[in-house]
Amino acid sequence: MLLPLQLKCNPVNMNKTNKFSYFILYGSLLAFIVYAVYILYINQEVFYTAHDRSEFLFGTPFFHALMQKPFGLMQYVGAWLTQLFYHPAVGSAVLVAIWTLIFIVGAKAFQLKSSASALMLLPVACLLTSVVDLGYWIYISTIRGYWFSQSVGYLVMLLLLWVARQTPRKWHIVWYLIGFCIYPVLGWFALLFVLCLALCEKPTWRELAGIVLFLFTASIWHTQFYSNIRFDDVVFAGLPRFITPSDSSEHPSIPFWVLGAVSALIAMGGHYLTSKVYRFTVPVLCAVAGIVFTSSQMYYDNNYINEMRMVRYAESDNWQEVLHIAEANKKPTRTMVFLKNIALTYEGGLLDRSFKLGNDDINITNPDSLHVTLLDIASPLVYYNYGMMNEAIRLNFEMAIQAGFSPFYLKVLSRCALACGDKELVERYTTQLHHHLFYDDWQPAPASEKVKELQKCYPDEITGVEYSDSYLVNAISLWYESDSKVASEQALFYSMIRCDSRRFWASLRNYVKTHMDEEFPLHAMEAYILYMDKAPEEKRIMLPVEQSVYERYKRFWATLESLAKPGMTFGKVGENMRKEYGDTYWWYNLFGKKILIVNGHIGHEVAS
């Protein structure tokens, strides 16, 4: 009597088990999707910068240049798609669509059934990680089409694998040969295709011979078509590696090595994960593993994002928004400090507000050994806004030749050409920009009156070393003989940034002459009181100061003397005084100034 009862109950239990397993599967998928959407959302500014710093040039020269190496077609497609990040939400949606296809096609290609299909979350997690772990490589990477090419290449590989596994087994040897033939298109994904096809089913001796033939003929491709590329670059063609003459990093390449390893493991054992235990555990473990992997590899830093936002607003001359970001950030990087001071030049209050907002920059937070400074992030834009057109143009070309003529460089070059009155060059640069998807009607904004004024007073010739922040500070602090009100203000400010009392007195005399009947700015007054008290130079000028400011100066030194006790380091004293006096020039002069270093690394000086 028990046996029929048990048999009668089994279908009900099986239905409950199946429902629960599907609940686990869809719940895990939903959790990963929500996480991925959140990661893409908080990186929207990164994606806009990706479009702004990625090269796509209309015409056959750019296309042929990429087709000269394996994986070039995928890079070309990726470079075209990267334009969509002009609207980060649109580009993100396309990426999600590609990853969705990868999940669906991958489950069919690897013949994953039921809950085992959750294994495809792992390759998707690798590709998600690859677009959020780049960090400051985004400014100097030379890889064309990086943001989409790997996802598109992997999808094409899975489509081929799916089709190959639908054909009779005896035709697999033909697919190995096809893998060789598509090597120029897919690069390292062609090798991954052959590997996964061999691992999905036990290969015969003919198939093993085909694999050997593939490896052998790859060397023929190298000899006949890619002799100017190193052999290891051919074997793993298209696999992103991050190397410059002065920097290298393995960290951003990790997702792609993991992608290859995970694909091979899924091909070997994915179809075995069909038991009841695996149906419950695999989706959860895959979702958790994908989330943990992406979270551990992703690069995210508030200053990193704020730098991108400030550059974006500075490109469009939206200086109020630049100041809003500066006001909300208490520990800026050097790039943020320079852009903030340019914004104060335009909006007013440079010598009244700059030190209140802070000029003591901090080093960028960078997990790699990569050396990136203002030069790589915004230097051409900074030089342009200080009227130093020759430096801006030269830096644009030098950096664009390495990283590509992206919209950022084309826009700055167009503005420089317009400021110099070269309409032919303006047309050349804008014509190239007009071939981009979202720049059909873009035209450079005319140079502001302040840029024109600085351009006239600056001896616009390339001299000395123009590759460091110190060059910029030093050059502007020498404008103390100019009759321009804007230039005299800049000269005074940067002599204060240099903490150079000799240039300060020369700049102050010129500033007073060009700003007659105007109020004495607060920070200039603070510097004046300090140098009157501490600097022994002769020929100083006598100016009235506010009693409240002078009284605060005396309290500043009294506080300093009370804190300067045995056991207290210079840095600790500065931190203790920051809250009360961090908004003054006196605090900056003693505790906030940084030594600007030039170490010979063109474009990649160490931020000090």
Side-chain angles (χ1 to χ4, degrees):
M1 294 295 293
L2 291 175
L3 183 59
L5 182 62
Q6 291 173 344
L7 292 175
K8 185 177 180 180
C9 293
N10 278 341
V12 177
N13 292 334
M14 289 179 63
N15 286 335
K16 289 183 178 180
T17 301
N18 287 336
K19 287 182 179 178
F20 186 66
S21 65
Y22 281 119
F23 175 78
I24 293 294
L25 173 61
Y26 293 130
S28 300
L29 292 178
L30 180 61
F32 184 83
I33 290 170
V34 170
Y35 171 77
V37 170
Y38 169 73
I39 293 300
L40 293 174
Y41 172 75
I42 64 175
N43 281 280
Q44 293 293 282
E45 204 63 49
V46 176
F47 297 147
Y48 180 85
T49 303
H51 122 272
D52 208 27
R53 300 301 179 107
S54 296
E55 181 182 44
F56 178 80
L57 299 178
F58 178 80
T60 55
F62 180 70
F63 177 76
H64 287 161
L66 290 180
M67 294 303 292
Q68 294 301 311
K69 53 187 178 181
F71 200 68
L73 181 60
M74 293 296 101
Q75 288 188 317
Y76 184 83
V77 172
W80 189 89
L81 289 173
T82 304
Q83 297 175 94
L84 299 176
F85 278 141
Y86 179 87
H87 298 294
V90 175
S92 300
V94 173
L95 270 182
V96 170
I98 295 172
W99 295 340
T100 302
L101 288 174
I102 285 174
F103 183 90
I104 297 171
V105 174
K108 295 182 179 298
F110 291 115
Q111 297 181 359
L112 303 174
K113 298 179 180 179
S114 175
S115 299
S117 61
L119 288 170
M120 289 308 299
L121 287 178
L122 299 178
V124 171
C126 292
L127 294 169
L128 170 62
T129 304
S130 71
V131 299
V132 296
D133 74 334
L134 212 57
Y136 282 91
W137 276 102
I138 193 172
Y139 295 108
I140 63 173
S141 173
T142 60
I143 303 173
R144 306 298 188 262
Y146 170 83
W147 301 88
F148 284 89
S149 59
Q150 300 299 314
S151 295
V152 172
Y154 190 66
L155 176 59
V156 173
M157 187 277 289
L158 291 176
L159 287 168
L160 289 173
L161 184 62
W162 182 19
V163 174
R165 298 198 68 188
Q166 302 305 309
T167 59
R169 178 66 184 273
K170 63 182 179 180
W171 293 106
H172 281 195
I173 183 65
V174 176
W175 283 104
Y176 293 132
L177 295 176
I178 291 175
F180 159 70
C181 294
I182 62 174
Y183 166 77
V185 176
L186 289 184
W188 77 286
F189 285 118
L191 177 62
L192 186 60
F193 163 72
V194 171
L195 179 62
C196 289
L197 184 59
L199 292 174
C200 284
E201 301 175 28
K202 186 178 179 180
T204 64
W205 68 268
R206 289 188 304 171
E207 292 166 350
L208 290 174
I211 295 173
V212 173
L213 178 63
F214 171 79
L215 295 175
F216 174 73
T217 49
S219 64
I220 298 177
W221 278 109
H222 170 250
T223 303
Q224 297 298 320
F225 299 100
Y226 307 113
S227 56
N228 62 330
I229 305 176
R230 295 182 307 173
F231 184 73
D232 59 331
D233 289 337
V234 172
V235 174
F236 295 106
L239 193 151
R241 279 173 284 185
F242 297 84
I243 301 172
T244 71
S246 59
D247 295 290
S248 65
S249 177
E250 297 295 332
H251 178 265
S253 298
I254 291 176
F256 304 106
W257 292 107
V258 175
L259 174 65
V262 165
S263 301
L265 291 173
I266 293 175
M268 282 193 297
H271 55 283
Y272 293 118
L273 304 178
T274 56
S275 69
K276 184 185 296 186
V277 176
Y278 292 132
R279 278 187 289 173
F280 296 146
T281 58
V282 167
V284 175
L285 291 177
C286 288
V288 171
I291 292 172
V292 170
F293 179 71
T294 301
S295 300
S296 63
Q297 297 293 311
M298 180 179 69
Y299 180 84
Y300 191 85
D301 178 70
N302 284 332
N303 278 344
Y304 173 64
I305 299 299
N306 284 332
E307 284 173 336
M308 293 177 173
R309 293 173 62 203
M310 291 178 82
V311 170
R312 182 177 181 178
Y313 289 130
E315 280 186 283
S316 58
D317 295 335
N318 190 346
W319 299 110
Q320 288 186 352
E321 287 299 325
V322 172
L323 283 179
H324 288 160
I325 298 172
E327 289 167 354
N329 194 295
K330 302 303 180 185
K331 295 184 177 180
T333 62
R334 184 163 300 170
T335 299
M336 298 169 70
V337 168
F338 269 96
L339 292 176
K340 175 261 296 181
N341 288 327
I342 294 174
L344 288 173
T345 299
Y346 282 101
E347 297 297 316
L350 177 64
L351 292 172
D352 282 305
R353 299 176 59 194
S354 182
F355 292 96
K356 289 181 180 179
L357 295 176
N359 283 302
D360 54 317
D361 56 89
I362 63 171
N363 295 341
I364 62 173
T365 303
N366 192 359
D368 295 326
S369 59
L370 183 64
H371 299 146
V372 176
T373 66
L374 165 73
L375 180 64
D376 306 286
I377 301 171
S379 199
L381 195 60
V382 171
Y383 277 116
Y384 167 81
N385 280 286
Y386 281 123
M388 303 163 74
M389 297 302 164
N390 276 352
E391 274 84 351
I393 293 170
R394 178 175 175 178
L395 284 172
N396 261 286
F397 272 108
E398 290 181 353
M399 297 168 73
I401 287 171
Q402 176 184 341
F405 283 87
S406 62
F408 174 80
Y409 294 118
L410 289 173
K411 285 184 286 187
V412 178
L413 283 170
S414 298
R415 297 193 70 174
C416 290
L418 183 61
C420 294
D422 194 330
K423 295 183 179 179
E424 183 178 344
L425 279 179
V426 172
E427 184 178 358
R428 183 182 303 177
Y429 299 136
T430 54
T431 299
Q432 192 59 246
L433 261 176
H434 290 166
H435 290 300
H436 283 250
L437 286 179
F438 302 101
Y439 289 96
D440 292 346
D441 301 319
W442 187 90
Q443 291 295 331
S448 68
E449 291 302 319
K450 291 190 176 181
V451 169
K452 292 178 180 178
E453 189 173 340
L454 292 175
Q455 189 179 1
K456 290 177 182 178
C457 72
Y458 176 64
D460 202 1
E461 57 184 24
I462 297 176
T463 59
V465 180
E466 63 280 336
Y467 301 116
S468 67
D469 309 339
S470 59
Y471 172 83
L472 189 62
V473 173
N474 183 63
I476 298 176
S477 68
L478 291 172
W479 293 353
Y480 52 78
E481 294 182 353
S482 172
D483 293 331
S484 162
K485 293 183 66 173
V486 181
S488 64
E489 179 186 53
Q490 297 297 325
L492 178 58
F493 174 74
Y494 278 104
S495 69
M496 293 163 60
I497 290 291
R498 279 176 55 90
C499 300
D500 186 334
S501 61
R502 296 181 186 278
R503 290 190 186 178
F504 171 79
W505 290 118
S507 299
L508 182 61
R509 282 190 291 270
N510 192 50
Y511 177 86
V512 171
K513 183 176 66 174
T514 57
H515 291 75
M516 296 295 292
D517 301 324
E518 294 185 16
E519 292 186 7
F520 200 0
L522 174 62
H523 296 314
M525 189 184 304
E526 291 172 343
Y528 172 77
I529 294 172
L530 175 66
Y531 290 130
M532 282 290 289
D533 185 30
K534 301 297 180 182
E537 286 83 1
E538 298 178 358
K539 299 182 181 179
R540 295 180 293 188
I541 59 177
M542 302 301 293
L543 296 172
V545 298
E546 296 179 13
Q547 185 65 28
S548 59
V549 178
Y550 181 67
E551 292 297 330
R552 194 183 185 200
Y553 173 72
K554 291 193 293 184
R555 292 196 300 272
F556 172 84
W557 282 104
T559 303
L560 178 61
E561 291 174 0
S562 66
L563 291 174
K565 297 178 180 178
M568 285 289 287
T569 64
F570 190 73
K572 288 182 179 179
V573 172
E575 284 303 312
N576 288 341
M577 296 183 67
R578 179 192 288 271
K579 184 177 181 180
E580 186 175 358
Y581 298 102
D583 61 344
T584 67
Y585 176 71
W586 313 315
W587 188 92
Y588 170 84
N589 187 280
L590 265 67
F591 304 108
K593 60 186 177 183
K594 300 288 182 70
I595 301 173
L596 301 174
I597 300 174
V598 180
N599 63 6
H601 291 288
I602 297 177
H604 309 293
E605 291 89 22
V606 180
S608 55

